[in-house]
Amino acid sequence: MLKLNTAPSELKPIIERVAEYTFGMDLTWDWPCGVAYYGISRAFEATGEPAYVERMVQWCEEYIEAGLPVWTVNACAMGHMLLTLYEQTKEQKYLDLILSKIDYLQNQAPRFGDRVLQHTVSAGNDFPEQCWADTLFMAAYFMLRTGVMLGEKPWIDDALHQFYWHINYLQSEDTGLWYHGYNHLNQDHMSGIYWGRANAWAAYTMARAAKGLPEAYLYPPMMHLWSSLRDQLAAMKKLQHEDGLWGTVLDYPNAYGEVSATAGIAAAMITQGNPLHAKYVQRALDGVLANIADNGRVLNVSGGTAVMKDIEGYLHIDRKWAQGWGQGLTLALLAAVIENGEQA
């Protein structure tokens, strides 16, 4: 438990506003909605509000009737919502969709090297033999959650295998920070940027994986993961801006503060549970709350970002609009703060 100055009761009305705005967004069956509705699912877990599940069920039913897209790594992010819907309703159709995504990841998704998932955003071969930190949220963490829920150790092992190799490819041993992507064909990190949201994808999913896997100490890759997360958080806490946000490029002091990365990093710190991180989490929480509009829209969230060619590419990504991942990661942070407070 971390000692924070924000009471859970203060956050529940804010969660309601953020959730309401999120449900009103024009989202499709892809990763922006996957992250957004993951956040809604976490809000349900923290508040017990049944309307959140009911509205996701309604949206899901309408989308199934309209027709679902082909699976990609990014589209597998929708599996997080499906896990919540299956756990709450026990409807077979949700389990069938979950298993179809697992089958895609296990048997159809492009892999390279030592069976590392290639990041895909469409049915094409978008980024040959590239791994991105994003894959950990969209696919590996989903695989781990499904393996735990259904008692399928091979899926757990594969998920941890993905974490192991993404750590090896993307995390700098010198700085503890994560690069956005790695090109296996060229054996490089492309632009070599420590992108804020990439580090949030890594930190948040590693922290949640460590918490959500029963008897995690019996899985050798978890030792690698725990050490990776420890060093990453140690590095990132030194780079937090005065307003509580982390920059969209972590190690560039003049980078603008980016709210989705900040929410994901702070939620990772709460989940990891080091009490000395409380002051960093409190600053981040205050910074995120200052960027939630009265209507529940999360502000200052950078748009969808490929592995850019240079630092200028990252610094000039637009942050004018609401984004599903901004809404979802903010809800994940607020849910984590509520659960932390209720442990007091």
Side-chain angles (χ1 to χ4, degrees):
M1 183 191 73
L2 280 66
K3 292 182 179 179
L4 303 175
N5 298 325
T6 306
S9 59
E10 298 175 40
L11 297 182
K12 290 182 181 180
I14 300 173
I15 282 182
E16 290 176 8
R17 296 205 312 270
V18 176
E20 186 63 32
Y21 188 95
T22 305
F23 280 122
M25 295 176 71
D26 191 22
L27 297 170
T28 62
W29 196 284
D30 204 353
W31 76 274
C33 187
V35 183
Y37 282 12
Y38 170 81
I40 296 285
S41 298
R42 289 289 294 122
F44 165 72
E45 291 171 0
T47 68
E49 174 51 62
Y52 297 154
V53 172
E54 293 165 5
R55 293 181 71 174
M56 285 194 294
V57 165
Q58 181 182 5
W59 183 90
C60 191
E61 292 300 309
E62 291 180 4
Y63 219 108
I64 291 172
E65 184 176 351
L68 298 178
V70 297
W71 296 160
T72 64
V73 162
N74 265 357
C76 284
M78 293 300 301
H80 291 293
M81 173 196 71
L82 294 169
L83 288 170
T84 297
L85 296 188
Y86 178 67
E87 288 171 343
Q88 293 302 311
T89 69
K90 300 305 179 186
E91 290 277 354
Q92 183 66 35
K93 58 191 168 187
Y94 300 132
L95 180 58
D96 290 343
L97 286 173
I98 291 166
L99 294 179
S100 72
K101 289 180 183 290
I102 293 294
D103 178 70
Y104 165 76
L105 292 172
Q106 290 281 300
N107 303 310
Q108 303 169 51
R111 299 195 182 209
F112 66 89
D114 193 0
R115 286 189 50 76
V116 179
L117 283 168
Q118 174 182 308
H119 192 74
T120 54
V121 304
S122 75
N125 189 22
D126 309 288
F127 306 105
E129 296 197 26
Q130 290 185 22
C131 79
W132 295 13
D134 313 48
T135 299
L136 294 178
F137 184 93
M138 314 305 164
Y141 178 43
F142 162 64
M143 253 199 303
L144 182 102
R145 292 184 66 201
T146 306
V148 170
M149 183 182 75
L150 298 178
E152 290 287 348
K153 188 175 182 296
W155 302 346
I156 296 171
D157 289 338
D158 191 19
L160 294 178
H161 181 82
Q162 300 307 316
F163 277 100
Y164 179 89
W165 280 102
H166 278 71
I167 290 168
N168 285 353
Y169 283 141
L170 296 176
Q171 188 172 22
S172 166
E173 293 183 31
D174 294 329
T175 68
L177 301 175
W178 282 55
Y179 298 104
H180 186 180
Y182 173 78
N183 187 318
H184 190 60
L185 295 175
N186 297 335
Q187 302 281 298
D188 64 22
H189 295 107
M190 295 172 274
S191 55
I193 297 297
Y194 298 133
W195 182 44
R197 194 157 61 237
N199 279 266
W201 296 136
Y204 183 76
T205 55
M206 287 194 293
R208 295 295 298 180
K211 181 177 181 178
L213 178 59
E215 297 184 316
Y217 53 84
L218 295 178
Y219 295 83
M222 285 301 302
M223 313 310 161
H224 192 51
L225 190 153
W226 280 324
S227 297
S228 167
L229 178 61
R230 179 201 64 207
D231 287 1
Q232 185 195 21
L233 294 182
M236 289 193 297
K237 69 183 184 182
K238 301 173 185 175
L239 300 173
Q240 190 176 29
H241 292 186
E242 286 297 319
D243 62 0
L245 303 183
W246 274 276
T248 195
V249 177
L250 290 177
D251 60 338
Y252 182 66
N254 293 327
Y256 64 80
E258 206 281 325
V259 173
S260 70
T262 299
I265 293 166
M269 286 183 169
I270 295 173
T271 304
Q272 192 246 15
N274 184 339
L276 297 182
H277 288 162
K279 60 184 178 182
Y280 305 101
V281 171
Q282 187 68 59
R283 290 175 196 158
L285 177 60
D286 293 342
V288 170
L289 292 176
N291 280 281
I292 299 175
D294 290 343
N295 65 353
R297 174 186 169 191
V298 179
L299 310 175
N300 286 309
V301 175
S302 62
T305 307
V307 179
M308 308 301 285
K309 292 183 178 180
D310 51 37
I311 190 172
E312 292 301 315
Y314 287 94
L315 296 178
H316 289 92
I317 293 292
D318 184 80
R319 53 194 163 116
K320 179 179 178 65
W321 306 104
Q323 305 290 356
W325 49 93
Q327 302 293 122
L329 287 171
T330 296
L331 288 169
L333 170 60
L334 299 181
V337 174
I338 287 176
E339 291 170 342
N340 177 79
E342 290 175 344
Q343 294 171 10

